[in-house]
Amino acid sequence: MTQSHPEISEEQRSREDALVQVVLDSFEQTGDARLKEIMTSAVRHLHSFLREVRLTEGEWKQGIDFLTTVGHMCDERRQEFILLSDTLGASMQTIAINNEAYADATEATVFGPFFVEDAPRVELGGDIAGAATGQPCWVEGTVQDTEGNALAGARIEVWEADEDGFYDVQYDDARTGGRAHLFTDDEGAYRFWAITPTPYPIPHDGPVGLMLAATGRSPMRASHLHFMVTAPGLRTLVTHIFVRGDGYLSSDSVFGVKESLVKDFIEQPKGTPTPDGRELGDGTWSRVRFDIVLAPPDAV
Ligand code: BEZ
Ligand code: FE
């Protein structure tokens, strides 16, 4: 693909074509058909890209240096390659491909780096806030399959940042908060207290942050509350809900927002009685409903 550079001679074009072909041919002996498909497609697209932008050798070096820095930024707590994938929309595209629309199944979105295994269990109506501060938010809904059957005992993992935009794993001490797991009741219903989500930036003190700054993009994520929902025999759902009216819905740095996941977090005036009689003094609170539908495992 050299359409934007019509000045390339036939001789030049045929040398470049020949190189692509020789590289593709080098994979001819690949025994694993899927690996062969992936490698040859990757080579075709990579060469197309190089030829389309007529990459200079200096730019190639800059690209290599950038990827090297991304690698150096990675450790057991920080995965800069996933952040790069997220900010290029590659994570969301992979999620879209692998969670194909099925009936009214709830849409999936990006997992993010802040999930923790073994978050504390809360009972129905319990509070996930722990050490995380913010405006109390009552979250309730149901979990069903696509035939409308209530899913009793579905496991719901929830996690979120505090009002300052930090997950507990980013605290410099061992406090935990803003995360828990719970199970739906016999009617497939759930309810819990959380905190009203607020916007926060993805980690942007590394090469991905430099890329965002150099391209005039914001690191901010639209306010959201993460869910992972599992029930035996159904497709696991990893998603979030977003706050309608949030200023970052159309510029979410990882392209995670789906219209179907934007919910009304309804602010309750001071003194409004809470659903479970909890006393909140003269503070405000909010409430949101999120009804979840799980697809069959082989839904395509
Ligand atoms: C998050 O929502 O937690 C997140 C997702 C992708 C990248 C960084 C953070
Ligand atoms: Fe998040």
Side-chain angles (χ1 to χ4, degrees):
M1 285 280 290
T2 52
Q3 282 156 356
S4 58
H5 297 272
E7 70 278 9
I8 292 160
S9 70
E10 268 315 304
E11 172 59 19
Q12 178 65 23
R13 188 186 310 270
S14 83
R15 287 185 194 184
E16 293 174 9
D17 284 345
L19 177 60
V20 177
Q21 197 52 54
V22 83
V23 180
L24 290 174
D25 289 349
S26 76
F27 292 99
E28 209 35 58
Q29 305 307 317
T30 311
D32 180 328
R34 177 67 174 156
L35 179 62
K36 185 174 178 181
E37 180 186 9
I38 290 172
M39 291 310 299
T40 53
S41 178
V43 164
R44 266 196 308 275
H45 287 277
L46 176 61
H47 282 253
S48 263
F49 155 69
L50 298 170
R51 297 172 75 186
E52 182 181 314
V53 303
R54 310 305 299 167
L55 198 77
T56 68
E57 288 171 284
E59 289 162 345
W60 174 87
K61 169 82 168 53
Q62 238 184 313
I64 296 291
D65 288 346
F66 174 75
L67 292 175
T68 305
T69 318
V70 170
H72 285 160
M73 197 78 197
C74 294
D75 58 26
E76 60 290 337
R77 291 171 62 95
R78 178 81 173 254
Q79 229 305 352
E80 195 78 356
F81 275 111
I82 295 183
L83 214 51
L84 181 58
S85 163
D86 294 342
T87 51
L88 296 180
S91 306
M92 274 308 292
Q93 193 66 276
T94 308
I95 289 162
I97 292 164
N98 288 280
N99 291 269
E100 212 164 303
Y102 182 88
D104 58 347
T106 304
E107 279 190 273
T109 189
V110 67
F111 193 55
F114 298 121
F115 173 74
V116 170
E117 301 275 0
D118 303 322
R121 177 173 177 174
V122 295
E123 297 306 321
L124 286 165
D127 191 351
I128 74 158
T133 53
Q135 181 191 55
C137 176
W138 177 255
V139 185
E140 64 190 340
T142 55
V143 183
Q144 296 186 337
D145 64 17
T146 52
E147 317 226 290
N149 299 307
L151 297 171
R155 182 180 174 116
I156 303 176
E157 302 271 355
V158 282
W159 65 106
E160 65 175 334
D162 65 18
E163 64 186 342
D164 298 317
F166 294 107
Y167 285 82
D168 60 0
V169 290
Q170 297 173 296
Y171 297 165
D172 51 17
D173 54 28
R175 287 172 304 143
T176 59
R179 67 178 72 248
H181 75 275
L182 64 156
F183 295 90
T184 53
D185 67 16
D186 289 345
E187 278 75 51
Y190 71 89
R191 53 211 160 265
F192 60 90
W193 282 102
I195 54 183
T196 310
T198 51
Y200 68 87
I202 61 168
H204 59 113
D205 55 342
V208 169
L210 288 177
M211 180 275 286
L212 293 175
T215 54
R217 287 178 52 190
S218 161
M220 294 303 288
R221 290 229 55 205
S223 310
H224 60 274
L225 172 61
H226 292 260
F227 281 74
M228 178 160 67
V229 188
T230 45
L234 292 166
R235 186 164 82 189
T236 293
L237 173 69
V238 175
T239 196
H240 345 316
I241 51 174
F242 296 91
V243 179
R244 194 176 313 284
D246 186 274
Y248 296 100
L249 288 175
S250 60
S251 62
D252 184 46
S253 54
V254 300
F255 308 99
V257 179
K258 300 282 162 195
E259 178 50 35
S260 68
L261 300 174
V262 178
K263 303 293 173 192
D264 294 310
F265 283 71
I266 302 165
E267 174 116 5
Q268 308 294 311
K270 281 181 186 169
T272 308
T274 55
D276 60 350
R278 179 180 176 184
E279 281 299 333
L280 292 173
D282 60 359
T284 60
W285 55 284
S286 70
R287 67 186 302 164
V288 64
R289 180 165 192 96
F290 180 36
D291 292 322
I292 297 163
V293 178
L294 299 186
D298 51 357
V300 285

